[in-house]
Amino acid sequence: MPFKDLTVLVVPHNEIQVHRFKISRWLLVSGSVVCLAFISCLGYLILTSYNKNFDYLKYINLQRENRILTQKLEGVENNIAEMNTKVGELMEENQVFRRIAGLEVLDEQVKEVGIGGTFVGNYDELFEINGPLAKKIYKQEDQIDVLLRKSKLIDQSLQEAIQSLEASSDKWTHTPSIMPTKGYISSFFGRRSHPIYHVMQPHNGIDISCGAGAPIIAPADGIVTVVKNQIGYGLTEVVDHGYGYTTRYAHMSKSNVRVGQKVSRGDVIGFVGHSGITTGPNLHYEVYVDEVPKDPMNFILDNYVP
């Protein structure tokens, strides 16, 4: 049987009379529709309000994160500026170090450590999100990249200078630079009248007058190549110091080394005598550079004997 109307009976507990209410079908349907519509609207309003509040909170959080990120970037920018100053100071110290090592200083253009290349890639989404922030980030990345390249340049330059200094240090230890014995110079380098034959002839060294038996020391590191008696020179030693340097010691009374022996600056290699052609005890001392005789006085620092 089709539903037409709805009758509602209300029976109070304390009353005998029963209340009867009759609701038509259309009123019931209309009321139900209105209630559903109201509930739907209320739900929509609640959901919309929640979404708006959620979006607002999200916006507030994003603003806060953006503010913190901006502050951090400013801190990084300050650190980069300090690093750039320090790298500049290190670059100048490196230039001084290169001069000490006997190297040419780095050219100003080399110090810029420029690079080249073509850009390959897609448009960065960061620019779409926040253009100014993206520019700051990429500017800092470029600055850090330059600092890294400059640091590598300084490291390579310092390594080159260290190698040069090590080579120079080794050369220095093999360069004659001190008096081979204590005494006074009785005859200098150059042409002179021979003390025995009284004829003018070259004198390829200096004569150091001192008492017989005075120790003779090596003026630099080297290897003994000659220990023998030679005409005119008497007992003679020759030391090859490398780098083209050779020294000769003549008129010795006794040798303290053997051929092939390595000697260091300051080692006693023999003793003063008057063997060979001489008027008295003295050391005849010669210095050769690439087999060319040089004035030994140019290889003596303040007549120093350790």
Side-chain angles (χ1 to χ4, degrees), residues 263-302:
V263 295
S264 299
R265 178 181 285 130
D267 287 351
V268 176
I269 59 175
F271 301 91
V272 174
H274 52 86
S275 59
I277 301 175
T278 176
T279 60
N282 75 95
L283 172 66
H284 176 75
Y285 175 52
E286 297 177 354
V287 176
Y288 289 81
V289 179
D290 296 327
E291 300 182 355
V292 177
K294 299 293 182 179
D295 187 353
M297 297 303 295
N298 294 329
F299 295 87
I300 296 174
L301 300 177
D302 298 327

Side-chain angles (χ1 to χ4, degrees), residues 179-181 183-189 203 205-209 283 285 297 300 303:
M179 283 276 284
T181 191
Y184 70 92
I185 310 301
S186 56
S187 183
F188 289 90
F189 178 86
H203 187 227
I206 60 174
D207 293 336
I208 305 172
S209 180
L283 172 66
Y285 175 52
M297 297 303 295
I300 296 174
N303 294 333

